[in-house]
Amino acid sequence: MKDIILTGDRPTGKLHLGHFVGSLRNRVKLQNEGNFDKMYIMIADCQALTDNFDNPMKIRENLREVALDYLAIGIDPEKVIIFVQSMIPELAEYTFYFMNLVSVARLMRNPTVKNEVKLKNMDESIPSGFLNYPISQAADITLFNTTLVPAGIDQEPMIEQTNEIVRKFNSLYGDTLNECRILLPDNTIARRLPGIDGNNKMSKSLGNCIYLADSEEEIRKKVMMMYTDPNHVRVEDPGNIEGNIVFTYLDVFANDDYFRKYLPEYKNLDELKNHYKRGGLGDVKIKKFLFNILNEELTPIRNKREELSKNMDYIDEVLINGTEKARIVAKENIIKFKKALGINYFDK
Ligand code: ATP
Ligand code: MG
């Protein structure tokens, strides 16, 4: 059986390098390999509202921005169904029934949620909708019979939670739902790309991002601001590469071609790292190298994005058409779900 692939992003801002290496590149690869039954990308506006309920305009404004990012990185709406979460009411129905299958204690133990509660200073005032978002995510995944989720590692606890719900549902109501697996990037740093501040993960909510839409100047400014090694004061000082965010990014983005093109005096990253550790290599040089790489990666995306943004009616069309297609599947799939629960009272 071929995979049914589903992923999504919260429309809390434009997409950034973390999305790019954590999930978007795998999505484009899967799309182009074409070895799947169906592939969906969901813009998770309901989930975004769980911690942005006081600022719905932010979600509204970013919906189309995220769609633009998808098309700019090469997602093809002819091959992939892009849809809007809030326009599929069956997702809310699934969520409602799934809530019976998960204890509050289990939700509180979710490490990603715990981390987000801390970062967002929610403390004692966690909205119950936010606490429940892993359940709503289980609904997103299972409603479409998803088997594969290309995502960053922060999504691992969500996949675990989803599979727990699936097993519980199936054991209570009969074999109905599929389990799924996560597809992480091969590069372990790309599974959770840190922010340009060196802390945590790059995240829209934390304001530590390089966005796919950033201009050349913005990229340059952000790279030049990056944290390196505070003890590497003079060029001749030996430098530390552990926790040095410029090297962390180079670990993800540098390849031999980029060395040939922008830094031919070094063969590869190991040589560069060794020189830095020995001393005699300045921060500006490594930052310029990283800037050149990121700018080369992002320039075609930025240009395509600009081109696409001239025709926002087309973006709307993509979202409306994708959502219509997803809704047809949702309506079909919920029939079996309701039957399993025995709430299909008047079926003939
Ligand atoms: P928010 O701050 O609103 O939660 P976000 O930046 O975390 O936004 P999401 O929309 O929550 O982005 O994440 C969408 C997808 O991108 C998920 O699959 C997630 O794992 C992946 N992703 C997000 N940030 C990173 C990152 N820094 N590194 C790797 N993957 C990431
Ligand atoms: Mg997130």
Side-chain angles (χ1 to χ4, degrees):
M1 224 182 64
K2 286 188 176 174
D3 276 312
I4 297 178
I5 302 166
L6 181 139
T7 44
D9 307 277
R10 296 150 42 94
T12 47
K14 294 175 185 164
L15 300 185
H16 52 65
L17 278 183
H19 297 110
F20 184 56
V21 299
S23 171
L24 297 174
R25 284 204 298 209
N26 268 342
R27 296 184 209 179
V28 174
K29 187 164 166 264
L30 288 166
Q31 166 193 283
N32 295 340
E33 285 167 0
N35 188 28
F36 54 85
D37 179 349
K38 282 211 164 65
M39 182 163 171
Y40 301 93
I41 298 182
M42 182 187 81
I43 307 189
D45 59 337
C46 303
Q47 190 189 116
L49 280 165
T50 63
D51 56 331
N52 291 278
F53 55 87
D54 54 349
N55 190 5
M57 277 313 284
K58 173 165 138 190
I59 309 305
R60 190 181 170 88
E61 280 161 11
N62 282 302
L63 185 91
R64 290 175 177 86
E65 297 292 337
V66 170
L68 266 177
D69 284 322
Y70 290 157
L71 302 194
I73 58 127
I75 294 294
D76 177 355
E78 297 291 319
K79 297 180 182 153
V80 174
I81 298 173
I82 305 173
F83 70 93
V84 181
Q85 185 183 26
S86 62
M87 291 169 73
I88 310 287
E90 288 76 13
L91 289 171
E93 292 190 59
Y94 263 52
T95 304
F96 189 75
Y97 299 111
F98 281 173
M99 275 160 49
N100 301 329
L101 309 183
V102 186
S103 70
V104 173
R106 172 66 181 89
L107 291 168
M108 301 288 282
R109 273 203 309 274
N110 183 310
T112 301
V113 172
K114 260 187 178 162
N115 194 25
E116 287 168 339
V117 163
K118 207 166 93 201
L119 288 173
K120 290 169 204 212
N121 291 320
M122 284 177 178
D123 300 320
E124 292 303 302
S125 57
I126 311 168
S128 58
F130 183 77
L131 190 63
N132 269 310
Y133 94 72
I135 300 183
S136 129
Q137 226 173 297
D140 307 332
I141 293 169
T142 51
L143 174 60
F144 293 94
N145 291 325
T146 307
T147 56
L148 187 67
V149 180
I153 203 154
D154 63 325
Q155 294 307 307
E156 216 163 36
M158 308 305 165
I159 304 298
E160 217 173 280
Q161 174 75 82
T162 300
N163 287 335
E164 272 175 43
I165 291 174
V166 166
R167 286 193 289 270
K168 186 140 190 197
F169 188 99
N170 287 348
S171 74
L172 284 169
Y173 311 120
D175 217 0
T176 314
L177 306 172
N178 289 335
E179 290 196 36
C180 65
R181 62 196 198 283
I182 191 167
L183 177 70
L184 295 167
D186 293 334
N187 184 305
T188 51
I189 298 168
R191 294 173 182 184
R192 188 199 313 267
L193 189 75
I196 54 169
D197 52 3
N199 292 317
N200 275 302
K201 92 186 227 305
M202 184 176 283
S203 169
K204 293 176 234 115
S205 312
L206 298 173
N208 57 8
C209 306
I210 293 179
Y211 293 97
L212 301 182
D214 275 353
S215 68
E216 189 169 326
E217 261 332 289
E218 280 164 325
I219 301 172
R220 193 193 312 274
K221 216 172 79 198
K222 288 177 181 175
V223 171
M224 290 304 160
M225 268 164 46
M226 275 181 182
Y227 172 92
T228 52
D229 169 7
N231 299 320
H232 186 244
V233 184
R234 288 162 310 167
V235 173
E236 44 305 352
D237 290 340
N240 201 346
I241 56 164
E242 302 300 323
N244 183 325
I245 205 72
V246 177
F247 277 103
T248 308
Y249 278 48
L250 287 176
D251 269 321
V252 178
F253 291 99
N255 61 35
D256 294 356
D257 284 343
Y258 284 135
F259 272 99
R260 272 194 293 279
K261 193 161 171 189
Y262 297 116
L263 215 54
E265 59 270 41
Y266 300 90
K267 258 210 301 298
N268 54 36
L269 193 53
D270 284 339
E271 269 192 11
L272 191 74
K273 282 181 178 171
N274 285 335
H275 192 184
Y276 193 81
K277 284 193 271 193
R278 271 199 318 273
L281 174 58
D283 284 349
V284 173
K285 190 160 181 173
I286 55 166
K287 285 182 170 179
K288 274 193 179 147
F289 181 45
L290 178 61
F291 161 75
N292 280 324
I293 295 175
L294 294 182
N295 195 42
E296 179 157 337
E297 295 268 343
L298 297 183
T299 298
I301 299 172
R302 185 195 313 127
N303 291 344
K304 185 152 177 218
R305 199 181 193 282
E306 218 171 289
E307 197 53 44
L308 286 159
S309 68
K310 290 179 190 149
N311 186 0
M312 292 308 284
D313 286 346
Y314 170 65
I315 301 295
D316 283 8
E317 211 178 285
V318 165
L319 291 178
I320 292 167
N321 289 344
T323 303
E324 264 171 22
K325 286 185 201 157
R327 183 82 204 278
I328 292 170
V329 178
K331 278 182 168 171
E332 229 171 75
N333 288 354
I334 204 169
I335 295 173
K336 203 169 137 202
F337 180 89
K338 286 191 166 175
K339 196 171 166 199
L341 275 172
I343 55 172
N344 59 335
Y345 305 111
F346 307 110
D347 279 3
K348 292 276 183 295

PDB file of all heavy atoms in Angstrom, residues 110-141:
ATOM      1  N   ASN A 110       3.047  15.800  27.742  1.00  0.00           N
ATOM      2  CA  ASN A 110       3.600  15.942  26.384  1.00  0.00           C
ATOM      3  C   ASN A 110       4.779  16.936  26.412  1.00  0.00           C
ATOM      4  O   ASN A 110       4.596  18.112  26.720  1.00  0.00           O
ATOM      5  CB  ASN A 110       2.487  16.451  25.452  1.00  0.00           C
ATOM      6  CG  ASN A 110       2.946  16.556  24.012  1.00  0.00           C
ATOM      7  OD1 ASN A 110       3.988  17.143  23.735  1.00  0.00           O
ATOM      8  ND2 ASN A 110       2.173  16.010  23.106  1.00  0.00           N
ATOM      9  N   PRO A 111       5.983  16.461  26.102  1.00  0.00           N
ATOM     10  CA  PRO A 111       7.157  17.329  26.258  1.00  0.00           C
ATOM     11  C   PRO A 111       7.130  18.575  25.376  1.00  0.00           C
ATOM     12  O   PRO A 111       7.607  19.640  25.798  1.00  0.00           O
ATOM     13  CB  PRO A 111       8.346  16.439  25.887  1.00  0.00           C
ATOM     14  CG  PRO A 111       7.781  15.202  25.281  1.00  0.00           C
ATOM     15  CD  PRO A 111       6.344  15.102  25.655  1.00  0.00           C
ATOM     16  N   THR A 112       6.566  18.479  24.172  1.00  0.00           N
ATOM     17  CA  THR A 112       6.504  19.661  23.290  1.00  0.00           C
ATOM     18  C   THR A 112       5.551  20.688  23.882  1.00  0.00           C
ATOM     19  O   THR A 112       5.850  21.891  23.932  1.00  0.00           O
ATOM     20  CB  THR A 112       6.082  19.256  21.865  1.00  0.00           C
ATOM     21  OG1 THR A 112       7.039  18.321  21.372  1.00  0.00           O
ATOM     22  CG2 THR A 112       6.023  20.441  20.923  1.00  0.00           C
ATOM     23  N   VAL A 113       4.403  20.216  24.369  1.00  0.00           N
ATOM     24  CA  VAL A 113       3.434  21.135  24.978  1.00  0.00           C
ATOM     25  C   VAL A 113       4.053  21.782  26.222  1.00  0.00           C
ATOM     26  O   VAL A 113       3.973  23.004  26.409  1.00  0.00           O
ATOM     27  CB  VAL A 113       2.126  20.388  25.338  1.00  0.00           C
ATOM     28  CG1 VAL A 113       1.194  21.275  26.139  1.00  0.00           C
ATOM     29  CG2 VAL A 113       1.433  19.887  24.071  1.00  0.00           C
ATOM     30  N   LYS A 114       4.707  20.952  27.046  1.00  0.00           N
ATOM     31  CA  LYS A 114       5.344  21.462  28.272  1.00  0.00           C
ATOM     32  C   LYS A 114       6.316  22.591  27.948  1.00  0.00           C
ATOM     33  O   LYS A 114       6.318  23.637  28.585  1.00  0.00           O
ATOM     34  CB  LYS A 114       6.154  20.327  28.906  1.00  0.00           C
ATOM     35  CG  LYS A 114       5.494  19.642  30.052  1.00  0.00           C
ATOM     36  CD  LYS A 114       6.550  18.719  30.601  1.00  0.00           C
ATOM     37  CE  LYS A 114       6.173  17.939  31.783  1.00  0.00           C
ATOM     38  NZ  LYS A 114       7.075  16.804  31.982  1.00  0.00           N
ATOM     39  N   ASN A 115       7.131  22.339  26.927  1.00  0.00           N
ATOM     40  CA  ASN A 115       8.128  23.311  26.511  1.00  0.00           C
ATOM     41  C   ASN A 115       7.468  24.604  26.016  1.00  0.00           C
ATOM     42  O   ASN A 115       7.879  25.714  26.358  1.00  0.00           O
ATOM     43  CB  ASN A 115       8.963  22.662  25.396  1.00  0.00           C
ATOM     44  CG  ASN A 115      10.228  23.423  25.124  1.00  0.00           C
ATOM     45  OD1 ASN A 115      10.728  24.115  26.006  1.00  0.00           O
ATOM     46  ND2 ASN A 115      10.716  23.333  23.906  1.00  0.00           N
ATOM     47  N   GLU A 116       6.409  24.444  25.227  1.00  0.00           N
ATOM     48  CA  GLU A 116       5.727  25.620  24.686  1.00  0.00           C
ATOM     49  C   GLU A 116       5.037  26.422  25.796  1.00  0.00           C
ATOM     50  O   GLU A 116       5.045  27.651  25.778  1.00  0.00           O
ATOM     51  CB  GLU A 116       4.718  25.191  23.605  1.00  0.00           C
ATOM     52  CG  GLU A 116       5.425  24.760  22.321  1.00  0.00           C
ATOM     53  CD  GLU A 116       4.529  24.057  21.299  1.00  0.00           C
ATOM     54  OE1 GLU A 116       3.459  23.536  21.686  1.00  0.00           O
ATOM     55  OE2 GLU A 116       4.904  24.009  20.134  1.00  0.00           O
ATOM     56  N   VAL A 117       4.464  25.709  26.771  1.00  0.00           N
ATOM     57  CA  VAL A 117       3.808  26.386  27.899  1.00  0.00           C
ATOM     58  C   VAL A 117       4.832  27.252  28.631  1.00  0.00           C
ATOM     59  O   VAL A 117       4.559  28.404  28.989  1.00  0.00           O
ATOM     60  CB  VAL A 117       3.180  25.336  28.855  1.00  0.00           C
ATOM     61  CG1 VAL A 117       2.861  25.944  30.214  1.00  0.00           C
ATOM     62  CG2 VAL A 117       1.920  24.736  28.236  1.00  0.00           C
ATOM     63  N   LYS A 118       6.032  26.690  28.795  1.00  0.00           N
ATOM     64  CA  LYS A 118       7.102  27.428  29.471  1.00  0.00           C
ATOM     65  C   LYS A 118       7.526  28.652  28.643  1.00  0.00           C
ATOM     66  O   LYS A 118       7.572  29.772  29.145  1.00  0.00           O
ATOM     67  CB  LYS A 118       8.291  26.494  29.698  1.00  0.00           C
ATOM     68  CG  LYS A 118       9.127  26.903  30.884  1.00  0.00           C
ATOM     69  CD  LYS A 118      10.072  25.812  31.306  1.00  0.00           C
ATOM     70  CE  LYS A 118      11.413  25.989  30.624  1.00  0.00           C
ATOM     71  NZ  LYS A 118      12.222  24.788  30.572  1.00  0.00           N
ATOM     72  N   LEU A 119       7.769  28.414  27.355  1.00  0.00           N
ATOM     73  CA  LEU A 119       8.237  29.505  26.490  1.00  0.00           C
ATOM     74  C   LEU A 119       7.211  30.617  26.366  1.00  0.00           C
ATOM     75  O   LEU A 119       7.551  31.791  26.242  1.00  0.00           O
ATOM     76  CB  LEU A 119       8.561  28.971  25.092  1.00  0.00           C
ATOM     77  CG  LEU A 119       9.812  28.106  24.968  1.00  0.00           C
ATOM     78  CD1 LEU A 119       9.913  27.518  23.567  1.00  0.00           C
ATOM     79  CD2 LEU A 119      11.062  28.924  25.273  1.00  0.00           C
ATOM     80  N   LYS A 120       5.945  30.242  26.368  1.00  0.00           N
ATOM     81  CA  LYS A 120       4.894  31.237  26.180  1.00  0.00           C
ATOM     82  C   LYS A 120       4.382  31.790  27.515  1.00  0.00           C
ATOM     83  O   LYS A 120       3.372  32.497  27.538  1.00  0.00           O
ATOM     84  CB  LYS A 120       3.736  30.625  25.369  1.00  0.00           C
ATOM     85  CG  LYS A 120       4.149  30.371  23.914  1.00  0.00           C
ATOM     86  CD  LYS A 120       3.157  29.545  23.132  1.00  0.00           C
ATOM     87  CE  LYS A 120       3.916  28.887  21.991  1.00  0.00           C
ATOM     88  NZ  LYS A 120       3.305  28.640  20.776  1.00  0.00           N
ATOM     89  N   ASN A 121       5.067  31.437  28.609  1.00  0.00           N
ATOM     90  CA  ASN A 121       4.687  31.898  29.947  1.00  0.00           C
ATOM     91  C   ASN A 121       3.216  31.676  30.266  1.00  0.00           C
ATOM     92  O   ASN A 121       2.552  32.547  30.823  1.00  0.00           O
ATOM     93  CB  ASN A 121       4.983  33.404  30.098  1.00  0.00           C
ATOM     94  CG  ASN A 121       6.471  33.664  30.115  1.00  0.00           C
ATOM     95  OD1 ASN A 121       7.225  32.896  30.722  1.00  0.00           O
ATOM     96  ND2 ASN A 121       6.907  34.708  29.410  1.00  0.00           N
ATOM     97  N   MET A 122       2.699  30.523  29.903  1.00  0.00           N
ATOM     98  CA  MET A 122       1.266  30.300  30.151  1.00  0.00           C
ATOM     99  C   MET A 122       1.004  29.924  31.611  1.00  0.00           C
ATOM    100  O   MET A 122      -0.082  30.152  32.133  1.00  0.00           O
ATOM    101  CB  MET A 122       0.752  29.182  29.253  1.00  0.00           C
ATOM    102  CG  MET A 122       0.558  29.597  27.825  1.00  0.00           C
ATOM    103  SD  MET A 122       0.045  28.170  26.872  1.00  0.00           S
ATOM    104  CE  MET A 122      -0.169  28.888  25.268  1.00  0.00           C
ATOM    105  N   ASP A 123       1.990  29.305  32.239  1.00  0.00           N
ATOM    106  CA  ASP A 123       1.896  28.890  33.646  1.00  0.00           C
ATOM    107  C   ASP A 123       0.562  28.247  33.981  1.00  0.00           C
ATOM    108  O   ASP A 123       0.194  27.240  33.435  1.00  0.00           O
ATOM    109  CB  ASP A 123       2.176  30.080  34.581  1.00  0.00           C
ATOM    110  CG  ASP A 123       3.566  30.638  34.336  1.00  0.00           C
ATOM    111  OD1 ASP A 123       4.479  29.816  34.132  1.00  0.00           O
ATOM    112  OD2 ASP A 123       3.718  31.878  34.306  1.00  0.00           O
ATOM    113  N   GLU A 124      -0.176  28.904  34.893  1.00  0.00           N
ATOM    114  CA  GLU A 124      -1.421  28.313  35.387  1.00  0.00           C
ATOM    115  C   GLU A 124      -2.605  28.582  34.457  1.00  0.00           C
ATOM    116  O   GLU A 124      -3.695  28.071  34.674  1.00  0.00           O
ATOM    117  CB  GLU A 124      -1.754  28.887  36.774  1.00  0.00           C
ATOM    118  CG  GLU A 124      -0.786  28.465  37.866  1.00  0.00           C
ATOM    119  CD  GLU A 124      -0.690  26.945  38.008  1.00  0.00           C
ATOM    120  OE1 GLU A 124      -1.717  26.301  38.245  1.00  0.00           O
ATOM    121  OE2 GLU A 124       0.430  26.403  37.851  1.00  0.00           O
ATOM    122  N   SER A 125      -2.389  29.413  33.437  1.00  0.00           N
ATOM    123  CA  SER A 125      -3.545  29.824  32.628  1.00  0.00           C
ATOM    124  C   SER A 125      -3.522  29.204  31.229  1.00  0.00           C
ATOM    125  O   SER A 125      -3.823  29.865  30.251  1.00  0.00           O
ATOM    126  CB  SER A 125      -3.577  31.345  32.518  1.00  0.00           C
ATOM    127  OG  SER A 125      -2.346  31.786  31.974  1.00  0.00           O
ATOM    128  N   ILE A 126      -3.147  27.919  31.172  1.00  0.00           N
ATOM    129  CA  ILE A 126      -3.104  27.242  29.873  1.00  0.00           C
ATOM    130  C   ILE A 126      -4.536  27.114  29.344  1.00  0.00           C
ATOM    131  O   ILE A 126      -5.377  26.501  30.003  1.00  0.00           O
ATOM    132  CB  ILE A 126      -2.527  25.814  30.006  1.00  0.00           C
ATOM    133  CG1 ILE A 126      -1.226  25.831  30.795  1.00  0.00           C
ATOM    134  CG2 ILE A 126      -2.347  25.169  28.637  1.00  0.00           C
ATOM    135  CD1 ILE A 126      -0.753  24.446  31.217  1.00  0.00           C
ATOM    136  N   PRO A 127      -4.821  27.666  28.172  1.00  0.00           N
ATOM    137  CA  PRO A 127      -6.177  27.484  27.628  1.00  0.00           C
ATOM    138  C   PRO A 127      -6.410  25.990  27.372  1.00  0.00           C
ATOM    139  O   PRO A 127      -5.498  25.291  26.913  1.00  0.00           O
ATOM    140  CB  PRO A 127      -6.141  28.249  26.296  1.00  0.00           C
ATOM    141  CG  PRO A 127      -4.942  29.126  26.357  1.00  0.00           C
ATOM    142  CD  PRO A 127      -3.971  28.456  27.270  1.00  0.00           C
ATOM    143  N   SER A 128      -7.606  25.492  27.679  1.00  0.00           N
ATOM    144  CA  SER A 128      -7.818  24.052  27.501  1.00  0.00           C
ATOM    145  C   SER A 128      -7.708  23.690  26.025  1.00  0.00           C
ATOM    146  O   SER A 128      -7.293  22.593  25.677  1.00  0.00           O
ATOM    147  CB  SER A 128      -9.141  23.596  28.117  1.00  0.00           C
ATOM    148  OG  SER A 128     -10.206  24.297  27.544  1.00  0.00           O
ATOM    149  N   GLY A 129      -8.037  24.629  25.156  1.00  0.00           N
ATOM    150  CA  GLY A 129      -7.882  24.382  23.720  1.00  0.00           C
ATOM    151  C   GLY A 129      -6.430  24.121  23.355  1.00  0.00           C
ATOM    152  O   GLY A 129      -6.116  23.247  22.560  1.00  0.00           O
ATOM    153  N   PHE A 130      -5.526  24.870  23.994  1.00  0.00           N
ATOM    154  CA  PHE A 130      -4.101  24.689  23.711  1.00  0.00           C
ATOM    155  C   PHE A 130      -3.626  23.331  24.225  1.00  0.00           C
ATOM    156  O   PHE A 130      -2.935  22.591  23.520  1.00  0.00           O
ATOM    157  CB  PHE A 130      -3.279  25.817  24.342  1.00  0.00           C
ATOM    158  CG  PHE A 130      -1.811  25.718  24.009  1.00  0.00           C
ATOM    159  CD1 PHE A 130      -1.341  26.103  22.766  1.00  0.00           C
ATOM    160  CD2 PHE A 130      -0.914  25.187  24.930  1.00  0.00           C
ATOM    161  CE1 PHE A 130       0.005  25.969  22.438  1.00  0.00           C
ATOM    162  CE2 PHE A 130       0.441  25.055  24.611  1.00  0.00           C
ATOM    163  CZ  PHE A 130       0.894  25.450  23.362  1.00  0.00           C
ATOM    164  N   LEU A 131      -4.040  22.995  25.431  1.00  0.00           N
ATOM    165  CA  LEU A 131      -3.654  21.700  26.010  1.00  0.00           C
ATOM    166  C   LEU A 131      -4.122  20.543  25.118  1.00  0.00           C
ATOM    167  O   LEU A 131      -3.480  19.507  25.018  1.00  0.00           O
ATOM    168  CB  LEU A 131      -4.280  21.586  27.406  1.00  0.00           C
ATOM    169  CG  LEU A 131      -3.804  20.431  28.274  1.00  0.00           C
ATOM    170  CD1 LEU A 131      -2.326  20.568  28.591  1.00  0.00           C
ATOM    171  CD2 LEU A 131      -4.621  20.376  29.556  1.00  0.00           C
ATOM    172  N   ASN A 132      -5.243  20.782  24.471  1.00  0.00           N
ATOM    173  CA  ASN A 132      -5.848  19.744  23.629  1.00  0.00           C
ATOM    174  C   ASN A 132      -5.306  19.686  22.211  1.00  0.00           C
ATOM    175  O   ASN A 132      -5.714  18.826  21.439  1.00  0.00           O
ATOM    176  CB  ASN A 132      -7.358  19.991  23.520  1.00  0.00           C
ATOM    177  CG  ASN A 132      -8.111  19.266  24.606  1.00  0.00           C
ATOM    178  OD1 ASN A 132      -7.908  18.080  24.808  1.00  0.00           O
ATOM    179  ND2 ASN A 132      -8.955  19.983  25.309  1.00  0.00           N
ATOM    180  N   TYR A 133      -4.389  20.580  21.861  1.00  0.00           N
ATOM    181  CA  TYR A 133      -4.029  20.615  20.441  1.00  0.00           C
ATOM    182  C   TYR A 133      -3.396  19.326  19.922  1.00  0.00           C
ATOM    183  O   TYR A 133      -3.593  18.968  18.763  1.00  0.00           O
ATOM    184  CB  TYR A 133      -3.269  21.897  20.071  1.00  0.00           C
ATOM    185  CG  TYR A 133      -1.764  21.852  20.079  1.00  0.00           C
ATOM    186  CD1 TYR A 133      -1.050  21.158  19.101  1.00  0.00           C
ATOM    187  CD2 TYR A 133      -1.035  22.530  21.046  1.00  0.00           C
ATOM    188  CE1 TYR A 133       0.342  21.126  19.108  1.00  0.00           C
ATOM    189  CE2 TYR A 133       0.354  22.510  21.064  1.00  0.00           C
ATOM    190  CZ  TYR A 133       1.030  21.799  20.095  1.00  0.00           C
ATOM    191  OH  TYR A 133       2.393  21.766  20.107  1.00  0.00           O
ATOM    192  N   PRO A 134      -2.675  18.570  20.787  1.00  0.00           N
ATOM    193  CA  PRO A 134      -2.187  17.281  20.264  1.00  0.00           C
ATOM    194  C   PRO A 134      -3.340  16.342  19.863  1.00  0.00           C
ATOM    195  O   PRO A 134      -3.193  15.515  18.956  1.00  0.00           O
ATOM    196  CB  PRO A 134      -1.406  16.689  21.433  1.00  0.00           C
ATOM    197  CG  PRO A 134      -1.004  17.874  22.265  1.00  0.00           C
ATOM    198  CD  PRO A 134      -2.153  18.836  22.147  1.00  0.00           C
ATOM    199  N   ILE A 135      -4.480  16.498  20.530  1.00  0.00           N
ATOM    200  CA  ILE A 135      -5.637  15.662  20.178  1.00  0.00           C
ATOM    201  C   ILE A 135      -6.192  16.119  18.829  1.00  0.00           C
ATOM    202  O   ILE A 135      -6.521  15.308  17.959  1.00  0.00           O
ATOM    203  CB  ILE A 135      -6.737  15.748  21.266  1.00  0.00           C
ATOM    204  CG1 ILE A 135      -6.171  15.266  22.602  1.00  0.00           C
ATOM    205  CG2 ILE A 135      -7.966  14.951  20.849  1.00  0.00           C
ATOM    206  CD1 ILE A 135      -7.173  15.237  23.728  1.00  0.00           C
ATOM    207  N   SER A 136      -6.260  17.423  18.663  1.00  0.00           N
ATOM    208  CA  SER A 136      -6.756  17.937  17.382  1.00  0.00           C
ATOM    209  C   SER A 136      -5.792  17.537  16.256  1.00  0.00           C
ATOM    210  O   SER A 136      -6.207  17.240  15.132  1.00  0.00           O
ATOM    211  CB  SER A 136      -6.971  19.451  17.509  1.00  0.00           C
ATOM    212  OG  SER A 136      -6.363  20.161  16.495  1.00  0.00           O
ATOM    213  N   GLN A 137      -4.517  17.462  16.589  1.00  0.00           N
ATOM    214  CA  GLN A 137      -3.554  17.024  15.573  1.00  0.00           C
ATOM    215  C   GLN A 137      -3.749  15.545  15.224  1.00  0.00           C
ATOM    216  O   GLN A 137      -3.585  15.148  14.070  1.00  0.00           O
ATOM    217  CB  GLN A 137      -2.143  17.266  16.081  1.00  0.00           C
ATOM    218  CG  GLN A 137      -1.300  17.900  15.015  1.00  0.00           C
ATOM    219  CD  GLN A 137       0.052  18.303  15.521  1.00  0.00           C
ATOM    220  OE1 GLN A 137       0.148  19.158  16.404  1.00  0.00           O
ATOM    221  NE2 GLN A 137       1.085  17.725  14.994  1.00  0.00           N
ATOM    222  N   ALA A 138      -4.121  14.768  16.232  1.00  0.00           N
ATOM    223  CA  ALA A 138      -4.414  13.351  15.965  1.00  0.00           C
ATOM    224  C   ALA A 138      -5.606  13.252  15.015  1.00  0.00           C
ATOM    225  O   ALA A 138      -5.661  12.370  14.140  1.00  0.00           O
ATOM    226  CB  ALA A 138      -4.708  12.619  17.266  1.00  0.00           C
ATOM    227  N   ALA A 139      -6.555  14.172  15.178  1.00  0.00           N
ATOM    228  CA  ALA A 139      -7.719  14.191  14.278  1.00  0.00           C
ATOM    229  C   ALA A 139      -7.275  14.546  12.859  1.00  0.00           C
ATOM    230  O   ALA A 139      -7.674  13.889  11.884  1.00  0.00           O
ATOM    231  CB  ALA A 139      -8.746  15.201  14.786  1.00  0.00           C
ATOM    232  N   ASP A 140      -6.413  15.564  12.729  1.00  0.00           N
ATOM    233  CA  ASP A 140      -5.932  15.960  11.392  1.00  0.00           C
ATOM    234  C   ASP A 140      -5.316  14.763  10.680  1.00  0.00           C
ATOM    235  O   ASP A 140      -5.536  14.544   9.485  1.00  0.00           O
ATOM    236  CB  ASP A 140      -4.844  17.047  11.485  1.00  0.00           C
ATOM    237  CG  ASP A 140      -5.267  18.251  12.305  1.00  0.00           C
ATOM    238  OD1 ASP A 140      -6.474  18.519  12.360  1.00  0.00           O
ATOM    239  OD2 ASP A 140      -4.386  18.917  12.895  1.00  0.00           O
ATOM    240  N   ILE A 141      -4.525  14.023  11.436  1.00  0.00           N
ATOM    241  CA  ILE A 141      -3.771  12.911  10.838  1.00  0.00           C
ATOM    242  C   ILE A 141      -4.702  11.750  10.488  1.00  0.00           C
ATOM    243  O   ILE A 141      -4.663  11.223   9.372  1.00  0.00           O
ATOM    244  CB  ILE A 141      -2.643  12.460  11.802  1.00  0.00           C
ATOM    245  CG1 ILE A 141      -1.602  13.582  11.930  1.00  0.00           C
ATOM    246  CG2 ILE A 141      -2.003  11.161  11.341  1.00  0.00           C
ATOM    247  CD1 ILE A 141      -0.586  13.382  13.048  1.00  0.00           C
TER     248      ILE A 141
END
